C-alpha cells in the first residue's frame, strides 16, 4: 500500500496567510476589491479568490482607478504606488509582509544617508520580482540588483557597498557573495552586509531537505512563478533526484508511481495546504 506524507512545514508563510485573510475578510463584506498583482504566486489559489470576487490588476490599470479599495500583497510596493493611490483617492489595504516592510525601511534609511556619496546599495534578488521592485523603489531606482553569485564580479569595488537580500533568497549563496565582496573591496572603501533573509523561509531549506530524503518519490507542489519555490524545489531535487515539480493534481503522471512505496508531498511558501491535500487524494485514487 502506498504511503503518502504531506510535509507539515510546507504551505503559506505568515505574510501570505495574512494577505489572503485580509482579502477574504473584505470580500465577505460584499465589497469590490482589487489586488495589485497576483496575491500569491500560485495560479489555483488566485483562481479561488477570483471566484470570490477578487479582481487582479497591474500598475497601468491602477492609474486609471479612482475611489476604490486596492489590496497590496505581501511582496510590498515602492513609494510611487502609495503616491498614486493618494492622488486617485484609492483606499489601500496594505498586506505587505512585516519582514519585507522592515527591509524597505532599512534600505530607505541607508539611501537617505548615502545618496550624496559615491556608494552602492546592492540587492541580492530576482530582477523584476515584485518584492525587489519595491526595494529598488526605496532608492529612486539607483540600487544595483544581482541575481546570483556570478553577477557579484561586476560590482564597483572602489565604492562603498551596502548589501541587502530579497527575503526569500538562498542564505548559502548570500554568504558566498559576502565572502567575495570582502576579499575584493578596496582598502579605502566600506562594506557592510545586512542579513535580511526571512528565517521562516530559510529554515525550510534544511527541513525540506530531510523530508525529501525520507521518500521514494517527491511531489513538489508549486506555482512556476514562485521564486522561493524554485529554490526549495532545487534542494529537493538535489537530495532526491526522483522529485517532480507540479502545479496541481492534474500534472501527476501515474507512471511515476511504478515501484514506489512512499511519496512525500511538499511545497513553497505560496502553496496552499488544500492544494497539497488534493494531490494526496489524487494519489489515493490512482491506487483504486
Amino acid at each position: 500500500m502506498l504511503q503518502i506524507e504531506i510535509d507539515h512545514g510546507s504551505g503559506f508563510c505568515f505574510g501570505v496567510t495574512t494577505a489572503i485573510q485580509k482579502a477574504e475578510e473584505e470580500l465577505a463584506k460584499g465589497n469590490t476589491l482589487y489586488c495589485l498583482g497576483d496575491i500569491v504566486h500560485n495560479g489555483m489559489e488566485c483562481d479561488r479568490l477570483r471566484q470570490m470576487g477578487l479582481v487582479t490588476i497591474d500598475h497601468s490599470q491602477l492609474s486609471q482607478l479612482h475611489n476604490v479599495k486596492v489590496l497590496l500583497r505581501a511582496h510590498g510596493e515602492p513609494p510611487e504606488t502609495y503616491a498614486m493611490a493618494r492622488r486617485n483617492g484609492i483606499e489601500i489595504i496594505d498586506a505587505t509582509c512585516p519582514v519585507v516592510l522592515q527591509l524597505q525601511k532599512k534600505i530607505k534609511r541607508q539611501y537617505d544617508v548615502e545618496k550624496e556619496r559615491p556608494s552602492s546599495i546592492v540587492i541580492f534578488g530576482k530582477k523584476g520580482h515584485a518584492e525587489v521592485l519595491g526595494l529598488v523603489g526605496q532608492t529612486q531606482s539607483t540600487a544595483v540588483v544581482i541575481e546570483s553569485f556570478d553577477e557579484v564580479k561586476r560590482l564597483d569595488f572602489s565604492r562603498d557597498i551596502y548589501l541587502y537580500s530579497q527575503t526569500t533568497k538562498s542564505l548559502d549563496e548570500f554568504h558566498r557573495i559576502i565572502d567575495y565582496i570582502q576579499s575584493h573591496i578596496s582598502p579605502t572603501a566600506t562594506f557592510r552586509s545586512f542579513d535580511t533573509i526571512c528565517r521562516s523561509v530559510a529554515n525550510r531549506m534544511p527541513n525540506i531537505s530531510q523530508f525529501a530524503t525520507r521518500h521514494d518519490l517527491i511531489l513538489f507542489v508549486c506555482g512556476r512563478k514562485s521564486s522561493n519555490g524554485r529554490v526549495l524545489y532545487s534542494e529537493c531535487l538535489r537530495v532526491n533526484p526522483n522529485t517532480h515539480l507540479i502545479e496541481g493534481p492534474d500534472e501527476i503522471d501515474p507512471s511515476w508511481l511504478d515501484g514506489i512505496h512512499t511519496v512525500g508531498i511538499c511545497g513553497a511558501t505560496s502553496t496552499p495546504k488544500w492544494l497539497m491535500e488534493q494531490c494526496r487524494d489524487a494519489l489515493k485514487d490512482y491506487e483504486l
Side-chain angles (χ1 to χ4, degrees):
M1 185 177 184
L2 191 65
Q3 295 182 4
I4 306 168
E5 180 186 8
I6 295 177
D7 175 33
H8 295 300
S10 292
F12 290 153
C13 64
F14 170 79
V16 172
T17 298
T18 301
I20 289 174
Q21 285 176 346
K22 287 188 175 185
E24 290 175 334
E25 288 169 4
E26 193 62 33
L27 292 168
K29 300 174 186 175
N31 297 330
T32 299
L33 179 64
Y34 297 89
C35 181
L36 187 54
D38 290 338
I39 192 170
V40 62
H41 287 154
N42 185 280
M44 296 183 74
E45 178 66 8
C46 288
D47 286 343
R48 183 184 75 86
L49 291 167
R50 191 175 299 116
Q51 290 169 11
M52 294 177 63
L54 186 66
V55 181
T56 302
I57 58 171
D58 58 26
H59 287 81
S60 64
Q61 292 169 311
L62 177 71
S63 66
Q64 304 302 313
L65 294 175
H66 294 80
N67 305 312
V68 296
K69 290 186 178 182
V70 175
L71 183 138
L72 303 185
R73 55 196 176 163
H75 300 94
E77 285 291 323
E80 292 80 4
T81 299
Y82 294 88
M84 182 186 296
R86 287 192 295 270
R87 288 195 301 270
N88 290 9
I90 293 171
E91 180 181 340
I92 290 293
I93 298 176
D94 200 338
T96 303
C97 172
V99 178
V100 174
L101 195 59
Q102 285 300 112
L103 173 53
Q104 288 183 346
K105 290 177 179 177
K106 284 183 180 180
I107 291 175
K108 178 67 165 61
R109 284 196 297 268
Q110 193 71 54
Y111 172 72
D112 288 342
V113 170
E114 298 295 325
K115 59 186 175 184
E116 303 301 329
R117 304 177 190 177
S119 61
S120 296
I121 292 178
V122 178
I123 298 169
F124 171 43
K126 181 183 175 185
K127 295 183 181 76
H129 187 280
E131 180 188 327
V132 174
L133 292 175
L135 301 179
V136 172
Q138 309 303 316
T139 70
Q140 301 276 318
S141 299
T142 61
V144 177
V145 178
I146 57 173
E147 289 195 331
S148 66
F149 172 77
D150 291 337
E151 293 186 18
V152 72
K153 300 169 187 176
R154 65 180 177 83
L155 296 178
D156 182 351
F157 297 105
S158 67
R159 298 163 65 101
D160 294 347
I161 294 176
Y162 300 90
L163 176 68
Y164 299 83
S165 175
Q166 180 182 345
T167 59
T168 53
K169 293 295 282 184
S170 163
L171 192 57
D172 289 342
E173 191 170 11
F174 184 63
H175 286 152
R176 285 183 66 204
I177 291 169
I178 291 172
D179 291 343
Y180 188 91
I181 296 175
Q182 285 176 332
S183 62
H184 289 79
I185 193 81
S186 167
T188 60
T190 297
F191 169 57
R192 291 187 64 193
S193 62
F194 305 87
D195 184 351
T196 52
I197 293 173
C198 176
R199 285 306 183 268
S200 74
V201 176
N203 290 341
R204 293 192 184 196
M205 188 73 79
N207 294 337
I208 212 165
S209 178
Q210 293 175 6
F211 178 82
T213 61
R214 295 205 301 266
H215 297 284
D216 301 328
L217 168 68
I218 292 295
L219 298 181
F220 190 89
V221 188
C222 173
R224 289 184 171 84
K225 291 182 183 179
S226 173
S227 180
N228 80 88
R230 279 191 291 275
V231 173
L232 294 171
Y233 164 69
S234 296
E235 178 63 12
C236 287
L237 190 63
R238 184 185 70 81
V239 301
N240 187 337
N242 197 19
T243 295
H244 298 274
L245 189 151
I246 60 173
E247 289 201 339
D250 293 345
E251 295 185 10
I252 297 173
D253 186 339
S255 67
W256 296 342
L257 302 177
D258 293 344
I260 296 299
H261 300 289
T262 66
V263 179
I265 300 173
C266 51
T269 59
S270 54
T271 304
K273 277 283 203 280
W274 62 261
L275 186 54
M276 290 186 282
E277 291 168 354
Q278 281 189 357
C279 293
R280 176 201 61 198
D281 295 343
L283 290 173
K284 289 180 178 178
D285 289 342
Y286 287 128
E287 287 191 282
L288 298 178

